[in-house]
Amino acid sequence: LVFAITKSPAVVGTLAFVSSIGAMVGLAYLGSWGTLATTLILISEKTITVSDAMKEVKPIIWRYLGVSVLMTLFFIGIMSISVFTLFILMIVWMVWSAFALFIFLEEKQPGLASVWKSKAMIKGRFWAVFGRFVLIWVAIYVVMITLSFGAANYKALNLVTFILSLLVGPFAMSYMYEIYKNLPKVEKAERSMGWIIASVVGWLLFVFWFVSIAGTAGKTTPRMMENVEKQMMMKKTRKI
Protein backbone atom coordinates (compact mmCIF):
# COMPACT_ATOMS: atom_id res chain seq x y z
CA LEU A 1 0.00 0.00 0.00
CA VAL A 2 2.82 2.42 0.92
CA PHE A 3 4.66 1.53 -2.28
CA ALA A 4 1.50 2.03 -4.33
CA ILE A 5 1.12 5.53 -2.86
CA THR A 6 4.73 6.70 -2.84
CA LYS A 7 6.18 4.62 -5.72
CA SER A 8 9.48 4.81 -3.81
CA PRO A 9 11.39 1.70 -2.71
CA ALA A 10 13.52 3.90 -0.43
CA VAL A 11 10.47 5.08 1.51
CA VAL A 12 9.15 1.54 1.81
CA GLY A 13 12.54 0.26 2.99
CA THR A 14 12.85 3.06 5.55
CA LEU A 15 9.37 2.41 6.93
CA ALA A 16 10.07 -1.33 7.12
CA PHE A 17 13.32 -0.68 9.01
CA VAL A 18 11.68 1.75 11.44
CA SER A 19 8.77 -0.66 11.98
CA SER A 20 11.18 -3.52 12.71
CA ILE A 21 13.10 -1.42 15.25
CA GLY A 22 9.83 -0.32 16.85
CA ALA A 23 8.62 -3.91 17.07
CA MET A 24 11.88 -5.06 18.69
CA VAL A 25 11.80 -2.22 21.21
CA GLY A 26 8.14 -2.98 21.98
CA LEU A 27 8.87 -6.68 22.55
CA ALA A 28 11.89 -5.82 24.72
CA TYR A 29 9.73 -3.43 26.76
CA LEU A 30 7.01 -6.03 27.32
CA GLY A 31 9.57 -8.72 28.10
CA SER A 32 11.31 -6.48 30.64
CA TRP A 33 7.97 -5.58 32.20
CA GLY A 34 7.09 -9.24 32.57
CA THR A 35 10.50 -10.15 33.97
CA LEU A 36 10.46 -7.40 36.59
CA ALA A 37 6.85 -8.06 37.64
CA THR A 38 7.36 -11.84 37.88
CA THR A 39 10.56 -11.47 39.88
CA LEU A 40 8.92 -8.97 42.24
CA ILE A 41 6.03 -11.36 42.88
CA LEU A 42 8.43 -14.22 43.66
CA ILE A 43 10.71 -12.28 46.01
CA SER A 44 8.18 -10.03 47.73
CA GLU A 45 7.82 -10.63 51.46
CA LYS A 46 4.09 -9.88 51.25
CA THR A 47 1.48 -11.27 48.90
CA ILE A 48 1.25 -9.10 45.80
CA THR A 49 -1.10 -9.40 42.84
CA VAL A 50 0.04 -9.41 39.22
CA SER A 51 -1.59 -6.05 38.51
CA ASP A 52 0.01 -4.42 41.57
CA ALA A 53 3.41 -5.83 40.63
CA MET A 54 3.12 -4.52 37.08
CA LYS A 55 2.15 -1.06 38.37
CA GLU A 56 5.03 -1.01 40.84
CA VAL A 57 7.73 -1.89 38.30
CA LYS A 58 6.37 0.18 35.41
CA PRO A 59 8.35 3.36 36.30
CA ILE A 60 11.68 1.49 36.13
CA ILE A 61 11.18 -0.48 32.89
CA TRP A 62 13.17 1.91 30.69
CA ARG A 63 15.99 2.04 33.23
CA TYR A 64 16.04 -1.75 33.35
CA LEU A 65 16.13 -1.88 29.55
CA GLY A 66 19.18 0.37 29.60
CA VAL A 67 20.83 -1.84 32.21
CA SER A 68 19.99 -4.96 30.17
CA VAL A 69 21.53 -3.47 27.01
CA LEU A 70 24.74 -2.56 28.87
CA MET A 71 24.93 -6.00 30.47
CA THR A 72 24.41 -7.68 27.09
CA LEU A 73 27.18 -5.61 25.49
CA PHE A 74 29.49 -6.27 28.43
CA PHE A 75 28.92 -10.03 28.42
CA ILE A 76 29.30 -10.38 24.65
CA GLY A 77 32.80 -8.94 25.07
CA ILE A 78 33.51 -11.24 28.03
CA MET A 79 32.22 -14.25 26.08
CA SER A 80 34.57 -13.46 23.20
CA ILE A 81 37.68 -13.52 25.37
CA SER A 82 36.37 -16.53 27.33
CA VAL A 83 36.97 -18.59 24.19
CA PHE A 84 40.63 -18.67 25.25
CA THR A 85 39.63 -20.14 28.63
CA LEU A 86 37.30 -22.78 27.11
CA PHE A 87 34.38 -20.58 28.29
CA ILE A 88 35.32 -21.06 31.93
CA LEU A 89 35.53 -17.27 32.33
CA MET A 90 31.94 -16.92 31.05
CA ILE A 91 30.73 -19.48 33.61
CA VAL A 92 32.52 -17.55 36.36
CA TRP A 93 30.83 -14.33 35.29
CA MET A 94 27.43 -16.04 35.15
CA VAL A 95 27.89 -16.87 38.83
CA TRP A 96 29.27 -13.43 39.74
CA SER A 97 26.31 -11.64 38.13
CA ALA A 98 23.62 -14.07 39.33
CA PHE A 99 22.08 -11.59 41.79
CA ALA A 100 22.16 -8.50 39.58
CA LEU A 101 18.39 -8.55 38.96
CA PHE A 102 17.57 -8.73 42.67
CA ILE A 103 19.95 -5.87 43.43
CA PHE A 104 18.47 -3.76 40.64
CA LEU A 105 14.93 -4.26 41.95
CA GLU A 106 16.01 -3.20 45.44
CA GLU A 107 18.27 -0.27 44.56
CA LYS A 108 17.23 0.65 40.99
CA GLN A 109 20.71 1.88 40.11
CA PRO A 110 21.59 2.54 36.46
CA GLY A 111 24.52 1.14 34.49
CA LEU A 112 26.41 -1.93 35.65
CA ALA A 113 26.20 -1.04 39.36
CA SER A 114 24.09 -4.12 40.14
CA VAL A 115 26.61 -6.36 38.37
CA TRP A 116 29.54 -5.01 40.38
CA LYS A 117 27.59 -5.39 43.64
CA SER A 118 26.59 -8.95 42.77
CA LYS A 119 30.24 -9.78 42.08
CA ALA A 120 31.31 -8.16 45.35
CA MET A 121 28.72 -10.16 47.32
CA ILE A 122 30.01 -13.45 45.92
CA LYS A 123 33.68 -12.53 46.41
CA GLY A 124 35.24 -15.08 48.74
CA ARG A 125 32.15 -17.31 48.51
CA PHE A 126 32.35 -18.33 44.85
CA TRP A 127 32.60 -22.08 45.32
CA ALA A 128 29.85 -22.16 47.93
CA VAL A 129 27.45 -20.28 45.64
CA PHE A 130 28.55 -22.17 42.54
CA GLY A 131 28.08 -25.51 44.32
CA ARG A 132 24.52 -24.62 45.31
CA PHE A 133 23.71 -23.56 41.73
CA VAL A 134 25.08 -26.83 40.37
CA LEU A 135 23.17 -28.82 42.99
CA ILE A 136 19.79 -27.30 42.12
CA TRP A 137 20.24 -27.53 38.35
CA VAL A 138 21.43 -31.15 38.54
CA ALA A 139 18.38 -31.97 40.67
CA ILE A 140 16.09 -30.24 38.16
CA TYR A 141 17.58 -32.06 35.18
CA VAL A 142 17.39 -35.42 36.97
CA VAL A 143 13.67 -34.85 37.61
CA MET A 144 13.09 -33.74 34.01
CA ILE A 145 14.94 -36.74 32.57
CA THR A 146 13.16 -39.15 34.92
CA LEU A 147 9.72 -37.83 34.00
CA SER A 148 10.58 -37.79 30.29
CA PHE A 149 11.06 -41.57 30.37
CA GLY A 150 7.35 -41.90 31.07
CA ALA A 151 6.37 -39.88 27.99
CA ALA A 152 4.61 -42.05 25.45
CA ASN A 153 5.83 -40.18 22.37
CA TYR A 154 7.62 -37.06 21.15
CA LYS A 155 4.57 -34.81 21.59
CA ALA A 156 4.05 -36.02 25.14
CA LEU A 157 7.73 -35.38 25.86
CA ASN A 158 7.40 -31.81 24.60
CA LEU A 159 4.32 -31.29 26.78
CA VAL A 160 6.10 -32.65 29.88
CA THR A 161 9.14 -30.44 29.18
CA PHE A 162 6.94 -27.37 28.73
CA ILE A 163 5.02 -27.95 31.97
CA LEU A 164 8.24 -28.58 33.91
CA SER A 165 9.84 -25.43 32.52
CA LEU A 166 6.90 -23.39 33.81
CA LEU A 167 7.37 -24.89 37.27
CA VAL A 168 11.18 -24.91 37.31
CA GLY A 169 11.67 -21.22 36.43
CA PRO A 170 9.90 -19.74 39.49
CA PHE A 171 11.37 -22.42 41.76
CA ALA A 172 14.94 -21.74 40.59
CA MET A 173 14.41 -17.97 40.91
CA SER A 174 13.10 -18.35 44.48
CA TYR A 175 16.01 -20.64 45.36
CA MET A 176 18.52 -18.10 44.04
CA TYR A 177 16.83 -15.34 46.02
CA GLU A 178 17.12 -17.38 49.22
CA ILE A 179 20.86 -17.65 48.61
CA TYR A 180 21.01 -13.92 47.93
CA LYS A 181 19.17 -13.05 51.17
CA ASN A 182 21.61 -15.07 53.25
CA LEU A 183 24.69 -13.34 51.86
CA PRO A 184 26.10 -10.20 53.57
CA LYS A 185 24.98 -7.06 51.74
CA VAL A 186 27.52 -4.77 50.11
CA GLU A 187 27.03 -1.03 50.59
CA LYS A 188 29.34 0.03 47.80
CA ALA A 189 31.16 -1.80 45.01
CA GLU A 190 33.84 -0.24 42.87
CA ARG A 191 33.58 -0.35 39.10
CA SER A 192 36.26 -2.61 37.64
CA MET A 193 37.94 -0.84 34.74
CA GLY A 194 40.03 -3.93 34.12
CA TRP A 195 36.98 -6.01 33.23
CA ILE A 196 35.49 -3.20 31.16
CA ILE A 197 38.72 -3.00 29.14
CA ALA A 198 38.67 -6.80 28.81
CA SER A 199 35.12 -6.60 27.45
CA VAL A 200 36.17 -3.93 24.93
CA VAL A 201 39.06 -6.14 23.81
CA GLY A 202 36.57 -8.99 23.48
CA TRP A 203 34.38 -6.83 21.24
CA LEU A 204 37.37 -6.00 19.03
CA LEU A 205 38.07 -9.72 18.71
CA PHE A 206 34.40 -10.38 17.95
CA VAL A 207 34.36 -7.78 15.17
CA PHE A 208 37.66 -9.12 13.77
CA TRP A 209 36.33 -12.70 13.72
CA PHE A 210 33.06 -11.61 12.15
CA VAL A 211 34.79 -9.64 9.37
CA SER A 212 37.23 -12.50 8.75
CA ILE A 213 34.47 -15.11 8.50
CA ALA A 214 32.34 -12.83 6.30
CA GLY A 215 35.32 -12.18 4.02
CA THR A 216 36.14 -15.88 3.75
CA ALA A 217 32.51 -16.73 3.05
CA GLY A 218 32.36 -14.01 0.38
CA LYS A 219 35.34 -15.57 -1.42
CA THR A 220 34.38 -19.23 -1.10
CA THR A 221 30.63 -19.01 -1.76
CA PRO A 222 30.94 -18.02 -5.48
CA ARG A 223 33.43 -20.86 -6.02
CA MET A 224 31.09 -23.32 -4.36
CA MET A 225 28.22 -22.11 -6.55
CA GLU A 226 30.37 -22.51 -9.65
CA ASN A 227 31.28 -26.05 -8.65
CA VAL A 228 27.62 -26.90 -8.05
CA GLU A 229 26.66 -25.50 -11.45
CA LYS A 230 29.47 -27.47 -13.14
CA GLN A 231 28.34 -30.68 -11.45
CA MET A 232 24.73 -30.07 -12.54
CA MET A 233 25.87 -29.43 -16.13
CA MET A 234 27.94 -32.63 -16.11
CA LYS A 235 24.92 -34.63 -14.88
CA LYS A 236 22.72 -33.17 -17.61
CA THR A 237 25.40 -33.95 -20.25
CA ARG A 238 25.63 -37.57 -19.08
CA LYS A 239 21.87 -37.97 -19.30
CA ILE A 240 21.91 -36.70 -22.88
Side-chain angles (χ1 to χ4, degrees):
L1 178 61
V2 174
F3 181 76
I5 295 172
T6 63
K7 303 294 183 181
S8 174
V11 173
V12 175
T14 302
L15 287 175
F17 177 75
V18 172
S19 299
S20 299
I21 296 297
M24 287 190 292
V25 172
L27 289 174
Y29 182 90
L30 293 175
S32 299
W33 199 354
T35 299
L36 291 171
T38 303
T39 306
L40 181 63
I41 292 171
L42 291 172
I43 69 175
S44 180
E45 298 293 336
K46 59 181 181 180
T47 303
I48 183 171
T49 64
V50 174
S51 60
D52 288 341
M54 295 185 74
K55 290 177 183 177
E56 187 169 338
V57 301
K58 189 176 181 180
I60 60 172
I61 295 175
W62 288 112
R63 180 176 294 184
Y64 177 70
L65 266 175
V67 170
S68 298
V69 169
L70 286 176
M71 287 179 63
T72 301
L73 294 174
F74 176 76
F75 285 120
I76 288 175
I78 294 296
M79 183 175 64
S80 297
I81 62 173
S82 72
V83 170
F84 301 105
T85 65
L86 300 178
F87 294 101
I88 293 174
L89 180 60
M90 193 63 203
I91 295 173
V92 170
W93 262 106
M94 287 173 64
V95 177
W96 279 347
S97 61
F99 305 130
L101 178 57
F102 304 139
I103 296 171
F104 175 80
L105 272 173
E106 288 183 358
E107 302 181 4
K108 302 173 179 61
Q109 293 184 4
L112 296 175
S114 56
V115 174
W116 305 131
K117 278 201 170 184
S118 178
K119 179 177 178 293
M121 287 181 66
I122 296 174
K123 184 178 180 180
R125 306 173 183 86
F126 177 85
W127 290 111
V129 175
F130 178 71
R132 285 167 173 78
F133 285 173
V134 170
L135 179 64
I136 187 61
W137 285 113
V138 168
I140 288 170
Y141 277 114
V142 168
V143 172
M144 292 181 69
I145 292 171
T146 302
L147 292 178
S148 66
F149 286 144
N153 50 49
Y154 186 73
K155 291 183 178 180
L157 177 60
N158 284 340
L159 179 61
V160 170
T161 304
F162 175 72
I163 294 173
L164 284 175
S165 65
L166 294 178
L167 298 174
V168 164
F171 174 75
M173 181 71 73
S174 300
Y175 179 79
M176 289 174 61
Y177 185 68
E178 289 300 316
I179 298 174
Y180 167 74
K181 282 199 308 181
N182 288 295
L183 291 175
K185 297 297 183 290
V186 175
E187 294 299 325
K188 187 178 181 180
E190 294 184 2
R191 182 176 60 177
S192 176
M193 286 303 300
W195 284 113
I196 293 175
I197 293 172
S199 180
V200 172
V201 172
W203 262 101
L204 294 175
L205 288 171
F206 177 78
V207 172
F208 173 76
W209 291 334
F210 179 81
V211 172
S212 300
I213 293 171
T216 303
K219 293 178 180 178
T220 58
T221 301
R223 294 176 184 175
M224 292 176 61
M225 294 300 295
E226 289 178 5
N227 291 333
V228 171
E229 289 178 0
K230 288 179 180 179
Q231 291 177 3
M232 293 178 65
M233 290 296 295
M234 289 175 64
K235 287 181 180 180
K236 287 181 181 179
T237 304
R238 289 174 183 174
K239 289 181 180 180
I240 295 172

